[in-house]
Amino acid sequence: MPAFRQVGEKQLPNPVLCMAWSPKRDLIALANTTGELLLHRLASFQRVWSLPPSEYTGKEITALAWRPDGKILAFSLGDTKQVVLCGVEKAEILHVFPMQNPVTCMHWMEVMEENSALSSFYNSEDESKLFLPKLPTLPKSYSTTSKIFSEEKSDEIMNLLGEVRLNILVLGGDDGFVELYAYGMYKIATLTGVSGTCRSLSLSSDLKSLSVITEVRSADNNPEICYIQLDTALLSDCLPEVTRMARKFTHISTLLQYLHLSLTCMCEAWEDILMQMDLRLTKFVQEKNTSTQTHVALQLKITSFVCCLYFLFPSQGLKKLGQSIESSYSSIQKLVISHLQSGSEALLYHLSEVKGMSLWKQKFEPLGLDSAAIEGAITAVGSFSLKANELLQVIDKSMKNFKAFFRWLYVAMLRMCEEHVPPELNKMTQKDIAFVADFLSEHFSQNEELFDRKGKYFNVERVGQYLKDEDDDLVSPPNTKGNQWLKFLQESTHLKESPLLFPSYPQKSLHFVKRMMESVIEQCLQKPAEIIGKSVNQAVFLPLYTVSENTPRLFELPSLWNDKKAKMHYVVFCMPEISPCKLYLLRKGTDPNRYISVIICVCVSHFYVFDLSEYVYSCLDARFYDDEMLTVVLQGVEDNSWHVLAQLPLASTLSCETEFKWEPNLRLDQQGSAIPCQGLVLGNQWRELESMKAQFVAVNGIRKVACVLSANLRHIRVFEMDVEDEDEEGADSQNASADQEGLETTMTMTSIMKMASTLPVSTNNRRR
């Protein structure tokens, strides 16, 4: 009975480098040589979306991994050394973080362990929603300045947290580079001591160990494939504490991303009108060679500025300019109040909870939580809140002064042009006159420059200096004379240096204070990663075999798998240069202290009823379908053009009772003859891949699907693995019609021929 049904086939224009099935949906992600990321649906291999490469993210995708809930797709870029988290629904880049080394492999797993402490945490995790208001949605970008965040993103950014249950993204690269990211956002561990380049990773669901396949240089300078098991007992022993800490730090990382986008929107609102006005005024003054020296008389400064406005913006244009400036200020003001301040309050809340956790030294001190570092982060967030409040005051004053000044200037221009002045504009109160006087005195005093320090912008409005991402001090810091609170602090001996008061940094911009805050929080987050990373040690190191220099790296075996129920690590690999017809399977317990290590080799063949001969295969690729099945792409040894997709049961393979004793001073390929070998005859779970030089396979046992890729990396076929194929003609001729494992050697030729007479003629027999 045929078991696989082909549901899609496609010839792709560009070679595929990576492919990975979604764990929850019938979707497969593909990355090609151009740097394009593609998402296809199982049905007819329909494309859902494509994400083209960009100069901002990169063009060389090296690895893919799905978040366990299937909502986020992570991919790494070798040319820019970045990892990108992409939303699956809309193909939107939600988060990008840099790496020290290029990432060569990644694995995203979900912790499956349960205990009472975790259950209580899962139920109480949303307490922050009772005390904090929901963060407002970010507005649509004002321009194309933002390279990746051009739509409403706040909801998507919050969704980066995902489910409460802990999940960890494991990244590996060159020179033994391995890092663990909780929820794909917070770096929870930086591992050291791993030798070689990481080729494959698998973190056990109980967090007790991490399996790593690395490529190192042997004594004779040949690439050598090794298996390493790292003991991650600290993560397992402190799972409730790790989950709490990781969840809080992921909240913090997400809020920092939210504040960054809010500030980006503020900058765009300023650049849209206000910066353009400054640039036009600057260009005009420079072309007219207007003097900008500080000794120029006040009247000349005012006259120069008014002339600039008169020539650049006629009366009607000046009116629109005033309205645009007021609108920009209003937009920035709303973003500060609704986004920066609310995001800062949420940051303070979560950091305060982390500080409380750090004071519980018995639980959290082994994980590296430092209360002093967290206190410094709280202080930095407080300073950022003060700077945002200072900006609000500057905006409020600028709105009043600009509005009054442009109204006065508009009336003056109408009178100069002998045009009618509306009656409502003729009325100016004493307060309006005071605002105009304040504007002139602030911007055109004897000590004021027409340009900023770099001569880049016309120094008229005061808000833009807060939004420039520069280290220089403010050109026009706020005037604090007469501030009773500051005077009281300076005169108070006890409050002057009090740690309870946040420093204000009156000479610095909002961007500068934000970068300082991010740096302090990053240092606060790094220490636990260092402490946890140092606790990880190497438990097992097994050199397996050597490979040639020209062997492909992205798809090549070994393949790793974690059996969650049995708490086992599995490694499947081939040694084509030593024994091309054999497939090897290594089993190791996830607990390094639990001695379970089994290695066997499998020789796959097909038994022919008619001539009692066997057809032997070599394995091109093998992936774990589930805990009980292995999906393989096989190639006939005698007929290289014959390729087969098959399912191999693990139960019969692992039933071998012969024990293999590993010689510690030798590689596995140097003692391969001593490995117990078990023959495995294909049953009814296989299918010939006609007209296709198949080479690689990607599977998903949960969704019961497989994708086969050809050797040229362009031809793809998609199969449903557990559905009977009733539509294709000749399906019976492509598969063995009965399971021959029960044949006994004592059968007579007559009984064999009698059995064969009831079977249809096999394509395999016709080939032979």
Side-chain angles (χ1 to χ4, degrees):
M1 180 180 66
F4 315 148
R5 179 174 66 186
Q6 181 176 321
V7 294
E9 184 173 11
K10 199 172 187 68
Q11 290 283 351
L12 300 176
N14 299 298
V16 173
L17 293 179
C18 307
M19 54 183 181
W21 282 101
S22 167
K24 297 293 184 181
R25 303 170 64 181
D26 295 332
L27 299 171
I28 186 170
L30 307 174
N32 59 32
T33 53
T34 66
E36 184 181 20
L37 183 64
L38 307 168
L39 191 71
H40 284 263
R41 198 179 303 279
L42 175 64
S44 302
F45 206 67
Q46 176 188 2
R47 180 186 292 188
V48 180
W49 52 254
S50 64
L51 188 66
S54 71
E55 296 181 357
Y56 177 74
T57 54
K59 301 180 180 180
E60 184 185 336
I61 298 178
T62 57
L64 295 175
W66 288 84
R67 195 168 73 178
D69 63 2
K71 296 180 180 179
I72 302 292
L73 180 63
F75 60 94
S76 58
L77 297 148
D79 50 345
T80 57
K81 298 181 182 180
Q82 294 186 120
V83 173
V84 180
L85 302 185
C86 174
V88 176
E89 291 295 331
K90 301 178 183 178
E92 294 173 334
I93 296 178
L94 303 180
H95 186 57
V96 180
F97 54 93
M99 310 299 295
Q100 294 181 351
N101 300 68
V103 174
T104 56
C105 57
M106 58 174 59
H107 172 239
W108 208 333
M109 57 75 63
E110 185 177 33
V111 177
M112 302 301 294
E113 291 293 296
E114 297 286 355
N115 58 47
S116 57
L118 277 175
S119 299
S120 62
F121 169 67
Y122 293 156
N123 296 329
S124 64
E125 200 274 339
D126 289 335
E127 285 182 352
S128 60
K129 295 182 180 179
L130 302 176
F131 307 106
L132 295 173
K134 183 180 178 181
L135 292 177
T137 301
L138 288 168
K140 193 172 183 179
S141 292
Y142 295 91
S143 69
T144 58
T145 303
S146 176
K147 296 181 175 63
I148 56 176
F149 297 103
S150 59
E151 301 293 333
E152 297 181 355
K153 292 290 184 189
S154 56
D155 291 338
E156 287 84 353
I157 292 170
M158 293 299 108
N159 288 337
L160 282 172
L161 291 168
E163 299 177 357
V164 182
R165 184 184 297 275
L166 179 64
N167 58 75
I168 298 178
L169 175 64
V170 189
L171 307 174
D174 298 333
D175 301 325
F177 164 75
V178 179
E179 289 185 345
L180 278 63
Y181 285 77
Y183 302 104
M185 291 279 291
Y186 163 56
K187 184 164 65 176
I188 201 173
T190 301
L191 308 188
T192 57
V194 179
S195 58
T197 300
C198 294
R199 297 274 296 277
S200 184
L201 300 157
S202 179
L203 182 63
S204 64
S205 61
D206 57 7
L207 290 184
K208 290 185 177 181
S209 61
L210 170 66
S211 285
V212 186
I213 299 296
T214 64
E215 180 181 327
V216 299
R217 289 288 173 175
S218 62
D220 51 0
N221 202 32
N222 289 324
E224 185 177 271
I225 303 300
C226 302
Y227 170 75
I228 299 174
Q229 186 179 34
L230 301 174
D231 187 351
T232 56
L234 181 61
L235 291 176
S236 177
D237 296 341
C238 302
L239 178 57
E241 292 78 19
V242 169
T243 304
R244 284 178 177 271
M245 183 182 71
R247 191 68 177 175
K248 281 299 173 186
F249 278 158
T250 308
H251 269 292
I252 292 168
S253 299
T254 305
L255 288 169
L256 288 175
Q257 178 81 343
Y258 179 82
L259 291 176
H260 172 76
L261 292 178
S262 300
L263 194 54
T264 299
C265 292
M266 292 168 55
C267 292
E268 290 180 348
W270 171 70
E271 292 171 355
D272 192 35
I273 297 297
L274 299 172
M275 190 182 75
Q276 294 301 321
M277 181 189 71
D278 283 356
L279 288 174
R280 293 173 70 178
L281 289 172
T282 300
K283 183 179 179 182
F284 179 83
V285 172
Q286 290 174 342
E287 289 176 352
K288 300 299 180 181
N289 197 23
T290 303
S291 176
T292 62
Q293 301 299 319
T294 56
H295 63 269
V296 179
L298 174 62
Q299 292 85 352
L300 180 58
K301 287 186 177 182
I302 298 177
T303 304
S304 300
F305 178 62
V306 172
C307 288
C308 291
L309 292 176
Y310 179 79
F311 283 103
L312 291 174
F313 307 98
S315 58
Q316 295 300 322
L318 188 64
K319 182 178 180 180
K320 293 180 180 179
L321 176 64
Q323 293 172 348
S324 299
I325 290 176
E326 184 179 0
S327 175
S328 294
Y329 277 147
S330 179
S331 298
I332 297 173
Q333 188 180 46
K334 290 177 181 178
L335 286 168
V336 174
I337 295 173
S338 61
H339 293 72
L340 285 192
Q341 289 189 335
S342 59
S344 301
E345 291 171 0
L347 258 182
L348 285 173
Y349 173 87
H350 290 294
L351 282 171
S352 298
E353 284 206 339
V354 173
K355 182 184 176 182
M357 292 160 53
S358 68
L359 296 176
W360 194 354
K361 297 186 180 299
Q362 181 184 1
K363 292 284 188 181
F364 292 95
E365 191 174 35
L367 299 176
L369 277 187
D370 185 359
S371 58
I374 298 169
E375 182 64 36
I378 292 175
T379 301
V381 176
S383 298
F384 179 76
S385 298
L386 288 179
K387 182 58 66 172
N389 188 62
E390 178 185 312
L391 177 59
L392 280 179
Q393 297 176 13
V394 173
I395 292 174
D396 184 64
K397 188 174 183 180
S398 297
M399 286 180 68
K400 295 176 181 178
N401 293 349
F402 258 104
K403 185 176 181 180
F405 173 75
F406 274 95
R407 180 180 178 184
W408 167 76
L409 187 61
Y410 177 59
V411 172
M413 286 188 174
L414 289 178
R415 288 173 177 170
M416 289 174 60
C417 298
E418 298 181 354
E419 296 183 9
H420 173 69
V421 179
E424 62 272 11
L425 296 180
N426 261 328
K427 300 177 182 179
M428 285 196 70
T429 63
Q430 192 66 30
K431 186 180 292 186
D432 294 334
I433 296 174
F435 287 151
V436 175
D438 287 343
F439 178 86
L440 295 176
S441 63
E442 283 186 5
H443 296 82
F444 304 100
S445 65
Q446 295 292 340
N447 297 323
E448 285 289 335
E449 292 275 4
L450 280 180
F451 294 94
D452 63 5
R453 288 190 180 92
K454 298 181 178 180
K456 187 177 180 181
Y457 296 108
F458 205 81
N459 186 27
V460 176
E461 64 94 18
R462 297 292 187 253
V463 174
Q465 59 182 343
Y466 285 86
L467 303 178
K468 294 174 184 177
D469 193 4
E470 299 174 353
D471 293 334
D472 296 336
D473 292 345
L474 297 177
V475 177
S476 302
N479 186 4
T480 58
K481 292 182 179 179
N483 190 310
Q484 298 297 323
W485 169 249
L486 293 179
K487 182 179 179 181
F488 171 72
L489 289 181
Q490 293 297 325
E491 295 175 353
S492 174
T493 306
H494 300 288
L495 291 178
K496 190 175 183 180
E497 302 296 335
S498 173
L500 300 176
L501 299 178
F502 300 138
S504 58
Y505 304 101
Q507 301 293 327
K508 297 299 182 181
S509 69
L510 182 65
H511 251 296
F512 180 89
V513 178
K514 182 185 80 76
R515 282 191 281 111
M516 183 190 66
M517 174 188 69
E518 291 173 339
S519 176
V520 173
I521 293 178
E522 183 179 356
Q523 292 178 2
C524 174
L525 302 184
Q526 281 181 349
K527 189 172 182 180
E530 296 173 0
I531 297 298
I532 295 174
K534 291 178 180 179
S535 72
V536 177
N537 56 78
Q538 181 175 290
V540 176
F541 180 83
L542 301 176
L544 300 179
Y545 57 94
T546 58
V547 294
S548 60
E549 292 285 355
N550 57 356
T551 305
R553 293 293 184 259
L554 287 176
F555 290 101
E556 189 202 1
L557 297 173
S559 175
L560 293 173
W561 178 261
N562 174 229
D563 188 337
K564 301 175 180 61
K565 296 179 181 178
K567 296 185 178 180
M568 289 285 178
H569 285 296
Y570 287 98
V571 187
V572 60
F573 57 95
C574 296
M575 295 188 290
E577 298 180 4
I578 305 299
S579 49
C581 299
K582 293 180 180 179
L583 183 67
Y584 296 85
L585 190 66
L586 170 65
R587 181 174 65 169
K588 186 75 179 66
T590 58
D591 187 352
N593 299 319
R594 178 185 172 200
Y595 181 77
I596 297 179
S597 182
V598 177
I599 184 166
I600 59 174
C601 70
V602 179
C603 186
V604 184
S605 63
H606 188 83
F607 190 83
Y608 291 107
V609 176
F610 293 96
D611 54 8
L612 294 179
S613 62
E614 283 187 313
Y615 195 88
V616 181
Y617 299 94
S618 63
C619 182
L620 299 176
D621 196 13
R623 305 292 157 179
F624 286 90
Y625 185 74
D626 53 29
D627 295 338
E628 301 175 352
M629 196 73 69
L630 195 66
T631 303
V632 295
V633 175
L634 304 174
Q635 177 180 330
V637 174
E638 298 179 7
D639 186 358
N640 293 334
S641 64
W642 192 18
H643 294 78
V644 168
L645 176 67
Q647 299 278 66
L648 304 182
L650 292 176
S652 58
T653 305
L654 296 173
S655 62
C656 180
E657 298 179 355
T658 306
E659 183 178 356
F660 170 68
K661 295 182 179 180
W662 194 301
E663 293 292 336
N665 297 326
L666 297 175
R667 282 196 316 264
L668 182 65
D669 57 0
Q670 296 173 338
Q671 48 188 325
S673 58
I675 301 175
C677 186
Q678 181 168 341
L680 187 63
V681 180
L682 291 180
N684 62 341
Q685 296 288 305
W686 68 278
R687 172 174 182 147
E688 182 184 352
L689 300 171
E690 293 183 337
S691 304
M692 182 182 190
K693 192 176 180 181
Q695 184 76 29
F696 309 109
V697 65
V699 297
N700 184 348
I702 298 175
R703 306 303 301 180
K704 303 184 185 306
V705 289
C707 180
V708 180
L709 180 65
S710 64
N712 65 4
L713 308 180
R714 295 173 182 268
H715 186 190
I716 279 183
R717 287 183 185 174
V718 185
F719 297 92
E720 288 183 345
M721 303 299 286
D722 290 351
V723 179
E724 183 175 347
D725 191 355
E726 298 178 351
D727 301 328
E728 296 187 10
E729 296 182 1
D732 290 340
S733 65
Q734 298 177 8
N735 297 274
S737 56
D739 189 354
Q740 303 298 326
E741 290 181 295
L743 290 178
E744 299 181 1
T745 57
T746 56
M747 273 189 173
T748 62
M749 183 60 69
T750 305
S751 61
I752 294 176
M753 294 303 295
K754 183 177 181 181
M755 179 184 294
S757 63
T758 63
L759 301 176
V761 178
S762 172
T763 304
N764 304 333
N765 295 323
R766 291 202 301 269
R767 288 180 179 275
R768 292 183 59 86

